[in-house]
Amino acid sequence: MNPLYQLLLILRSALFFCALALIIAFTSVSGILLTGLLPFKIRGRYFVLGNRAILLSLRLLCGVRTEVIGQVPSADRIPYVALAKHQTQWETFFLQWALFPVTTVVKRELLSVPFFGWGLRAMNAIGIDRSNPRAAMRQTMEKGSRCLAEGCNLLIFPEGTRVAHGQRGKYARGGAGIAIKAGRPVLPIAHNAGRLWPSKGLVIQPGTITVHIGELIDTEGADAKQLAEEVGEWIEARCAEMP
């Protein structure tokens, strides 16, 4: 790669990460002060504006666009459990905005990160302790079911952690189990964000992130393990079709 071009990418990425930090800090502080006492569906609208600003900054500073295949279910449908590929930070920002109202299941340590963690708490994120899988599953089941009963969607990354572009993690059945127990459909989501924004890299490449949103899957009478495998196969097949 041309050294000057590589330097340009580094500078553009550095500007974006500065913008990212400023947007998160401003949105978290102002959101808590202005909307902290309001109901989630009102408070959350303010916070996802910050997500939208992050995606816009990514496009302007790094040349990263988004192509969406499929459609997000209309807001008047019953809540669903979204099971998405996890490659980088991008999908958290995009899906919280696109699937709103939505509660996201994250690792508990993120809730302690200044500003970023405050925003997650304001967005009713469910923090789980991954060192204790049984307790994490019980907590996710309880809080996730409550979230769905209150009319919010639930976003889970079934691989549990970020997986490099082109690789596959183990798809846990917890999210599928919650959907079955709550009698809610599952929405599979595939994307290739890690191709441009590597999970462990600081240089973001320009290009187009493709997001494929599947059809809602009915969970009545389904088996959690089989459903998780079905969703995993669908997601990986769609990822393999992407650039």
Side-chain angles (χ1 to χ4, degrees), residues 172-205:
R173 59 184 177 181
I178 293 172
I180 293 170
K181 181 179 179 180
R184 305 296 186 182
V186 161
L187 182 71
I189 301 175
H191 64 85
N192 61 352
R195 182 175 67 93
L196 303 180
W197 185 345
S199 61
K200 297 182 180 179
L202 295 177
V203 178
I204 299 173
Q205 303 288 333

Side-chain angles (χ1 to χ4, degrees), residues 27-190:
T27 304
S28 298
V29 174
S30 61
I32 291 171
L33 292 176
L34 296 174
T35 70
L37 299 179
L38 297 177
F40 170 64
K41 290 187 179 180
I42 299 176
R43 179 179 72 248
R45 286 285 180 190
Y46 182 87
F47 279 87
V48 295
L49 286 177
N51 290 36
R52 185 60 176 157
I54 290 170
L55 296 172
L56 181 59
S57 298
L58 185 63
R59 177 174 178 175
L60 294 176
L61 296 174
C62 296
V64 176
R65 299 173 179 271
T66 304
E67 174 192 25
V68 179
I69 301 173
Q71 291 186 333
V72 173
S74 58
D76 58 355
R77 289 189 62 98
I78 63 171
Y80 50 82
V81 177
L83 300 180
K85 185 71 179 173
H86 198 19
Q87 293 184 348
T88 184
Q89 298 179 52
W90 178 89
E91 58 267 22
T92 304
F93 300 130
F94 176 81
L95 293 175
Q96 284 184 340
W97 168 71
L99 306 182
F100 188 83
V102 65
T103 294
T104 309
V105 177
V106 300
K107 57 184 180 181
R108 189 174 62 183
E109 306 91 274
L110 292 178
L111 300 180
S112 302
V113 178
F115 301 113
F116 183 70
W118 304 349
L120 286 176
R121 289 179 184 274
M123 287 291 290
N124 287 358
I126 300 173
I128 60 173
D129 181 5
R130 293 192 302 182
S131 66
N132 190 338
R134 182 169 296 183
M137 182 62 198
R138 183 172 60 252
Q139 181 183 20
T140 305
M141 186 72 72
E142 293 174 356
K143 294 187 176 181
S145 298
R146 191 183 313 143
C147 151
L148 293 165
E150 293 173 352
C152 292
N153 303 313
L154 183 64
L155 172 60
I156 297 177
F157 300 108
E159 291 168 292
T161 189
R162 296 173 195 165
V163 178
H165 176 65
Q167 297 184 13
R168 174 176 182 163
K170 181 180 179 180
Y171 283 78
R173 59 184 177 181
I178 293 172
I180 293 170
K181 181 179 179 180
R184 305 296 186 182
V186 161
L187 182 71
I189 301 175

